């Protein structure tokens, strides 16, 4: 799908190419937005701007030279964005920004919410005048960063709830507590995977902003406002990256703590079995002695032999139990 945005009466608007009368009052295209484009859409934009749009496979290359480069008097800037951020399974999506003169081209293969939010605000008029494609690109990147900030805030709150779950003082049976901790580990793993994607996206934004700020051509003379906006994008991406790193460290701490608690629960179970085996060992010895079939055993003919053996077994079990309890082992 191809959507073309331009300016009409100093306002950002969506071009309607089906109505030529209206098109005469609209300035040349400011932004070509290619969403899962067809070959015909790609050819139309390439012919209009005399550029070669990268394929999806080329956009997914991880080499820096394949993501940030200049060609045909145009700057090609690719970043990693995330979709489905409202779920626990976000998906990575490469987004390519192509700047050629005052015109911007975006190429993407999934509908990301920051793009929809930016378009809605820009078309409604948010007090910002988008005069060049560079303004639109920086506005889109700002929208992506705002979305990342909201996601990190949500993840931070969810991690705090998991921390309370790990260190809660509520009493529970060992088996139920172990099952709960195993569920916490699974949730922490998902949050850690989520944060990895967020950090990767923020790193790509930082690299894109740094490369864009370093581009120097005779045709490109950024205004003071643009330079300040690029620096602001870099600072925001860097600060959010630091916050994401902090949350990742907290997740690692909670994982270690959860595994430690599970080990303690397992050790406690092993300790109970060990104490039980030691406590019942003396009674077993007494029963074994009086279970021998020797003829010369005085207690076999004794009327109180049975109560004596039972009492001796109870006493031999009670003494080590009381000893262990006094030492704090049980």
């Amino acid at each position: 799908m191809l959507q073309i945005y331009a300016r009409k009466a100093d306002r950002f608007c969506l071009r309607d190419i089906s109505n030529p009368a209206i098109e005469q009052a609209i300035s040349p295209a400011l932004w070509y937005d290619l969403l899962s484009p067809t070959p015909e859409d790609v050819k139309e934009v390439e012919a209009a701007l005399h550029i070669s749009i990268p394929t999806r496979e080329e956009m997914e290359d991880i080499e820096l030279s394949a993501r940030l480069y200049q060609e045909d008097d145009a700057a090609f800037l690719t970043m990693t964005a995330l979709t489905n951020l409202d779920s626990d399974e976000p998906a990575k999506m490469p987004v390519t920004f192509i700047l050629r003169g005052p015109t911007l081209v975006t190429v993407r293969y999934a509908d990301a919410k920051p793009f929809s939010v930016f378009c809605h605000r820009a078309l409604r008029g948010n007090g910002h005048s988008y005069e060049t494609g560079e303004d639109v690109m920086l506005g889109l990147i700002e929208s992506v960063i705002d979305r990342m900030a909201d996601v990190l805030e949500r993840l931070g709150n969810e991690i705090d709830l998991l921390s309370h779950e790990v260190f809660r003082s509520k009493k529970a049976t060992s088996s139920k507590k172990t099952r709960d901790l195993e569920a916490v580990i699974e949730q922490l793993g998902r949050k850690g995977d989520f944060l990895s994607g967020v950090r990767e996206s923020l790193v790509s934004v930082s690299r894109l902003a740094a490369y864009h700020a370093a581009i120097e051509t005779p045709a490109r003379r950024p205004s003071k406002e643009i330079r300040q906006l690029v620096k602001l994008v870099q600072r925001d991406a860097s600060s959010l990256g630091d916050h994401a790193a902090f949350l990742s460290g907290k997740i690692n701490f909670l994982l270690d703590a959860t595994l430690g608690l599970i080990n303690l629960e397992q050790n406690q179970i092993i300790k109970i079995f060990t104490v039980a085996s030691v406590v019942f060992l003396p009674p077993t010895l007494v029963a074994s002695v009086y279970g021998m079939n020797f003829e010369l055993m005085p207690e076999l003919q004794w009327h109180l032999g049975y109560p004596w053996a039972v009492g001796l077994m109870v006493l031999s079990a009670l003494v080590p139990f009381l000893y262990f309890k006094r030492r704090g082992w049980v």
Side-chain angles (χ1 to χ4, degrees), residues 146-166:
D146 290 341
R147 178 67 169 157
M148 292 293 180
D150 295 338
V151 168
L152 287 177
E153 183 178 359
R154 190 195 78 199
L155 284 175
N157 294 333
E158 292 175 354
I159 291 172
D160 289 339
L161 292 177
L162 290 176
S163 177
H164 176 71
E165 184 75 12
V166 171

Side-chain angles (χ1 to χ4, degrees), residues 3 9 15 31 47 51 55 69 71 82 105 110 145 165 192-193 203 213 217-218 233 291:
Q3 289 186 318
R15 291 181 61 174
W31 173 26
I51 58 175
T55 63
Y69 62 94
E71 182 180 274
L82 296 178
V105 179
I145 290 178
E165 184 75 12
D193 192 29
V203 168
T217 61
V233 167

Side-chain angles (χ1 to χ4, degrees), residues 31-326:
W31 173 26
Y32 293 90
D33 184 24
L34 293 168
L35 174 59
S36 300
T38 63
E40 291 74 17
D41 294 334
V42 173
K43 290 179 181 179
E44 179 181 347
V45 177
E46 288 181 338
L49 299 179
H50 305 289
I51 58 175
S52 178
I53 294 177
T55 63
R56 184 169 187 175
E57 291 73 19
E58 292 172 340
M59 292 170 58
E60 292 176 347
D61 287 342
I62 62 174
E63 296 91 344
L64 195 61
S65 60
R67 286 182 160 242
L68 306 171
Y69 62 94
Q70 297 183 66
E71 182 180 274
D72 298 329
D73 296 328
F76 294 77
L77 313 169
T78 301
M79 60 168 282
T80 300
L82 296 178
T83 59
N84 300 327
L85 290 177
D86 293 327
S87 66
D88 287 335
E89 298 180 356
K92 292 191 293 185
M93 172 191 70
V95 178
T96 296
F97 299 93
I98 306 173
L99 282 174
R100 192 178 195 282
T103 306
L104 170 69
V105 179
T106 56
V107 186
R108 52 198 176 100
Y109 290 88
D111 190 12
K113 188 174 181 179
F115 280 72
S116 303
V117 171
F118 171 81
C119 291
H120 178 71
R121 291 177 180 175
L123 292 173
R124 188 180 57 185
N126 58 353
H128 192 288
S129 177
Y130 299 101
E131 298 180 356
T132 65
E134 188 176 18
D135 293 335
V136 175
M137 183 188 75
L138 294 176
L140 287 169
I141 294 176
E142 276 190 307
S143 183
V144 170
I145 290 178
D146 290 341
R147 178 67 169 157
M148 292 293 180
D150 295 338
V151 168
L152 287 177
E153 183 178 359
R154 190 195 78 199
L155 284 175
N157 294 333
E158 292 175 354
I159 291 172
D160 289 339
L161 292 177
L162 290 176
S163 177
H164 176 71
E165 184 75 12
V166 171
F167 298 111
R168 74 184 189 273
S169 58
K170 183 180 178 181
K171 298 296 183 181
T173 61
S174 297
S175 59
K176 185 177 185 302
K177 190 172 183 180
T178 300
R179 288 196 300 269
D180 292 343
L181 291 177
E182 290 175 353
V184 168
I185 289 178
E186 182 180 352
Q187 294 181 57
L188 287 174
R190 287 200 299 267
K191 303 303 179 189
D193 192 29
F194 201 149
L195 275 175
S196 297
V198 172
R199 294 180 69 181
E200 181 181 350
S201 179
L202 290 172
V203 168
S204 69
V205 171
S206 298
R207 289 177 175 176
L208 184 151
Y211 181 84
H212 178 66
I215 295 177
E216 294 183 1
T217 61
R220 181 178 179 270
R221 294 179 180 178
S223 63
K224 182 179 179 180
E225 182 182 355
I226 290 294
R227 290 196 297 268
Q228 290 178 345
L229 190 56
V230 171
K231 291 181 180 179
L232 179 62
V233 167
Q234 288 180 288
R235 287 197 299 267
D236 288 346
S238 178
S239 62
L240 289 179
D242 293 339
H243 186 61
F246 164 75
L247 292 179
S248 295
K250 191 171 183 179
I251 283 180
N252 290 332
F253 166 72
L254 290 176
L255 280 174
D256 293 339
T258 305
L259 291 174
L261 290 174
I262 291 177
N263 288 333
L264 288 175
E265 291 294 331
Q266 293 176 344
N267 291 339
Q268 184 67 23
I269 295 173
I270 295 174
K271 178 181 176 182
I272 292 173
F273 280 110
T274 303
V275 170
S277 62
V278 172
V279 167
F280 287 105
L281 183 60
T284 303
L285 178 62
V286 172
S288 299
V289 169
Y290 287 109
M292 293 186 293
N293 295 321
F294 291 111
E295 294 182 1
L296 299 177
M297 292 184 69
E299 293 84 358
L300 292 178
Q301 305 300 325
W302 188 22
H303 292 288
L304 298 178
Y306 177 73
W308 161 259
V310 173
L312 188 58
M313 286 189 287
V314 172
L315 182 63
S316 63
L318 189 61
V319 169
F321 176 77
L322 294 176
Y323 176 77
F324 290 159
K325 188 173 182 179
R326 183 177 180 183

